[in-house]
């Protein structure tokens, strides 16, 4: 009987509607796992390290259907949301925003100018920072991984875990890691 009730509880949880995050005044999705900082990436990296988390920059723009897909279908998956909340220090950057961002090399520019400096063209783009960044580096030069575009649940889940496991330092590139994980899951 207890097993039946446990199974029923799991089924009800899975059937419950999942709600997307709301939009902020800037038209971007806001999630509880995002950190609102002064966008000095040197300070953000130090704060992420102090919390035992990895710094991730999330580049988005107003009206981006792919950003919406990530927030409404992918980031809200419990296992992904847990990883983002527990293991990542996420800073959102508006591709066309005016808030000042200070890069690791000390360059301070409006978000839109910084995104242009980094050479980014797509939203969403996830930039996963190394744990240690040289003081003269741009974020994109010092990144452990850069993932432009919207991806499905399993790809995103695998990417988050690959970065946490420092797969970028190993012999197995993300594509092979992801293919192995798909095979292991049997899907």
């Amino acid at each position: 009987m207890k097993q039946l009730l446990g199974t029923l509880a799991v089924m009800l949880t899975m059937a419950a509607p999942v709600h997307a995050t709301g939009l902020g005044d800037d038209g971007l999705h806001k999630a509880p796992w995002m950190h609102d900082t002064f966008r000095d990436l040197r300070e953000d990296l130090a704060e992420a390290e102090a919390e035992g988390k990895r710094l991730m920059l999330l580049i988005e723009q107003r009206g981006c259907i792919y950003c919406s897909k990530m927030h409404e279908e992918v980031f809200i998956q419990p296992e992904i949301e847990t990883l983002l909340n527990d293991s990542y220090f996420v800073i959102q950057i508006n591709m066309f925003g005016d808030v000042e961002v200070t890069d690791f090399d000390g360059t301070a520019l409006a978000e839109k100018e910084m995104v242009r400096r980094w050479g980014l063209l797509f939203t969403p783009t996830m930039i996963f920072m190394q744990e240690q960044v040289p003081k003269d580096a741009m974020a994109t030069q010092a990144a452990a991984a850069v993932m432009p575009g919207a991806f499905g649940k399993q790809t995103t889940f695998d990417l988050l875990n690959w970065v946490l496991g420092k797969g970028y330092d190993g012999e197995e590139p993300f594509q092979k890691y992801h293919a192995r994980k798909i095979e292991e899951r049997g899907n």
Side-chain angles (χ1 to χ4, degrees), residues 23-154:
L23 295 178
D25 292 340
D26 58 2
L28 303 181
H29 290 83
K30 302 301 175 190
W33 39 263
M34 291 177 174
H35 294 265
D36 190 18
T37 69
F38 290 111
R39 289 183 181 72
D40 183 325
L41 300 184
R42 300 164 298 190
E43 292 176 5
D44 294 338
L45 183 65
E47 193 169 342
E49 181 182 14
E51 291 185 20
K53 296 181 177 186
R54 295 298 301 266
L55 179 59
M56 178 179 120
L57 308 177
L58 181 60
I59 315 305
E60 298 185 291
Q61 67 176 302
R62 176 191 296 263
C64 170
I65 60 172
Y66 302 107
C67 300
S68 293
K69 173 188 164 124
M70 293 299 289
H71 284 279
E72 294 170 5
E73 299 175 20
V74 177
F75 293 149
I76 61 169
Q77 296 304 309
E79 65 275 9
I80 293 172
E81 193 169 39
T82 297
L83 274 174
L84 290 170
N85 192 54
D86 295 350
S87 301
Y88 284 94
F89 191 93
V90 181
I91 304 298
Q92 183 181 57
I93 296 179
N94 183 346
M95 181 175 243
F96 299 107
D98 293 315
V99 174
E100 186 174 272
V101 175
T102 303
D103 207 341
F104 293 101
D105 66 359
T107 300
L109 298 169
E111 292 165 299
K112 61 188 169 198
E113 294 167 4
M114 189 64 74
V115 168
R116 192 173 320 121
R117 177 180 194 242
W118 292 337
L120 301 176
L121 302 173
F122 303 102
T123 56
T125 293
M126 294 181 278
I127 303 173
F128 299 91
M129 299 312 307
Q130 296 274 0
E131 292 172 302
Q132 301 294 319
V133 174
K135 292 181 184 201
D136 62 345
M138 284 194 313
T140 49
Q141 294 170 329
V146 178
M147 181 67 92
F151 291 87
K153 302 167 196 170
Q154 288 306 150

